[in-house]
Structures are given as C-alpha cells and as structure tokens.
Amino acid sequence: MLLLMQAMFWLIAGISAVPFGVAGEAHIAALGMLTMLLALATVLSALGVLSRKARARALVIALEVVCLAGSALLWALPIGFNTGLVSTLVNAALPITVIVLLGNERQAFS
C-alpha cells in the first residue's frame, strides 16, 4: 500500500509538469514523463512484491535507498528545497518505512 501511495505522489508530480511542457519548457515535459514512468515502475514493482518475488523486493529496497540519498542531497544543497512536514514525510519517512517493512524477508512475506 505504501508503494502505491508513493507511486501516486510521483504520478501527480509528473502530471503537474504537463502544463509547463505544453508552454514550451521541453526539459520539464521530459522530467514529467520520466516521473510518470518511475510511478509505473513502482506500481509494477509493488505487484512483484505482492506476488512474493525476491527480485522485486530487492529492486524496491534499492529504489528507496536512492530516494533517501536524493532527499539527503536536496536537504544538503541550498537550492530552496521545501523542508516542511509533508515533504519530510513523503521524501524521508515513507522510504524509511518501506525499507524497514521489506528489510526482513521473513516479515515481508508473512
């Protein structure tokens, strides 16, 4: 369920980039498409985890570690990144929760 929530957040972010792409910002349109593809990959990985595939579980854990590293990088760089409560929950707490829940194979598949 948490992976589907994360995929929904990414899908909403990708869709919200579409108006900028229509207005002529081609690089923003490309980033929006990549974000929507990431959301699709997350949904497919969640389906793999539901079908108890260890490879999908490992892929999801790797994705969440990359998300945490990206969030840490955004917090470290002074580029005006939003550090509010919602941003912290979506960018840090959600990936940490998924890693903890999927970390132990016995707990993940029971």
Side-chain angles (χ1 to χ4, degrees), residues 10 66-84 87-88 90-92:
W10 283 335
V66 169
C67 289
L68 282 175
S71 296
L73 184 65
L74 286 174
W75 276 319
L77 296 176
I79 58 172
F81 177 64
N82 186 8
T83 57
S87 176
T88 303
V90 171
N91 294 325

Side-chain angles (χ1 to χ4, degrees), residues 46-60:
L47 290 175
V49 168
L50 280 177
S51 64
R52 299 177 183 235
K53 297 189 180 192
R55 188 173 188 185
R57 188 178 134 266
L59 180 69
V60 167

Side-chain angles (χ1 to χ4, degrees), residues 6-32:
Q6 191 173 32
M8 191 181 336
F9 294 146
W10 283 335
L11 184 63
I12 291 169
I15 290 172
S16 67
V18 169
F20 296 103
V22 171
E25 298 286 335
H27 62 284
I28 297 295
L31 285 174

